[in-house]
Amino acid sequence: MNGPVLLVIAHGSRDPRHAATVRALVARARSLRPGLRMETAFLDFDLPSVSGTLDRLAAEGVRDVVALPLLLTRAFHAKADIPAVLRQAPPVLRVRRAEVLGPSPLLVAAVERRLYEAGLTPGDKSSTGVVLASAGSSDPEAIAVIAETARELRRTGWCSVRPAFASASLPRTEDAVRTLRADGVRRIAVAPYVIAPGRLPDRIAAGAAEADVLADVLGPAPELARLLTERYEEAVAARRVAVAG
């Protein structure tokens, strides 16, 4: 085994598609780093739990773990839930927390991949507006990151990009679609800025009823798999610097 174990921590959902998608993403990341042990755990609804996985790793003799939140922004789960559960880790484990996935140019690339898979082409950019629809958050930092990601996506050439939210924040997906339509945008695409299917992504899909194109969730996109390995490497490198210092 090369380096600390990577523990990918997902939120979890009652929707079985969520866990299946998370596991598919981790499997794709594992194919990029076949010598690295990767584990998947869930904060809620699904098994294995984070605490149960940490206990098992400690019992197996593992001593170093990089915990990676499978989250696009640093909102409540990243700031409160995950740190709280990691504080309960067995004392023999050295647990370092990796950064959340966003923001990253790889996420913008993954969104574009899904838009192209939904039938758009680079030649459609100048006449297509995009609604970047996220799950939503009441955390100002998370909202700011979504807004900046929308701006980064706009800079790639789409005629307009507007953020939208399935919960906690406004506008809703359907309202952003109607605003773009009122602005005279000829073609409108909704790009779910979420990792896996579930209740809120279904709400985004419902809000896309008046759009021309609905892209898929990010899921096991190659860019996300690569981003998982990058966040792991950054956490390992930061620990090495800290130890050397």
Side-chain angles (χ1 to χ4, degrees):
M1 181 180 66
N2 298 324
V5 170
L6 172 58
L7 175 60
V8 178
I9 302 176
H11 179 267
S13 170
R14 292 186 178 89
D15 189 323
R17 297 174 298 168
H18 176 92
T21 302
V22 169
R23 292 190 173 98
L25 172 59
V26 174
R28 188 159 212 162
R30 191 177 289 117
S31 72
L32 300 177
R33 288 289 307 272
L36 171 62
R37 180 175 177 181
M38 298 187 188
E39 298 279 346
T40 306
F42 299 90
L43 283 174
D44 206 352
F45 303 118
D46 293 302
L47 293 174
S49 67
V50 178
S51 57
T53 301
L54 291 170
D55 289 344
R56 175 171 55 81
L57 290 173
E60 292 175 6
V62 171
R63 292 298 175 261
D64 288 292
V65 174
V66 170
L68 185 135
L70 196 63
L71 301 169
L72 298 176
T73 62
R74 289 189 71 253
F76 183 79
H77 296 305
K79 294 178 178 179
D81 289 346
I82 290 178
V85 73
L86 293 180
R87 283 194 292 270
Q88 305 300 317
V92 296
L93 287 180
R94 292 181 290 271
V95 180
R96 181 171 189 85
R97 188 154 39 103
E99 290 295 330
V100 297
L101 299 182
S104 169
L106 287 171
L107 290 171
V108 175
V111 169
E112 288 206 291
R113 172 187 292 276
R114 294 303 188 225
L115 287 167
Y116 296 149
E117 289 172 350
L120 296 171
T121 70
D124 294 322
K125 283 187 171 185
S126 63
S127 60
T128 303
V130 177
V131 175
L132 186 70
S134 73
S137 173
S138 58
D139 187 297
E141 180 183 350
I143 298 300
V145 168
I146 298 298
E148 178 57 28
T149 301
R151 287 190 289 269
E152 289 297 323
L153 185 61
R154 169 69 181 83
R155 292 184 188 111
T156 69
W158 302 95
C159 78
S160 181
V161 179
R162 288 182 174 272
F165 308 93
S167 69
S169 306
L170 296 174
R172 295 288 181 255
T173 302
E174 54 269 31
D175 296 324
V177 169
R178 289 167 187 154
T179 298
L180 285 175
R181 193 77 73 192
D183 288 343
V185 176
R186 287 168 46 193
R187 184 190 294 108
I188 300 171
V190 172
Y193 193 60
V194 293
I195 294 173
R199 178 176 57 87
L200 294 180
D202 284 349
R203 189 178 295 174
I204 290 171
E210 297 178 24
D212 303 293
V213 175
L214 172 62
D216 200 358
V217 299
L218 299 177
E223 294 84 1
L224 259 70
R226 180 179 159 199
L227 188 52
L228 261 62
T229 65
E230 285 192 4
R231 290 291 184 254
Y232 170 84
E233 295 294 350
E234 290 164 1
V236 171
R239 167 166 279 181
R240 288 180 184 140
V241 170
V243 170

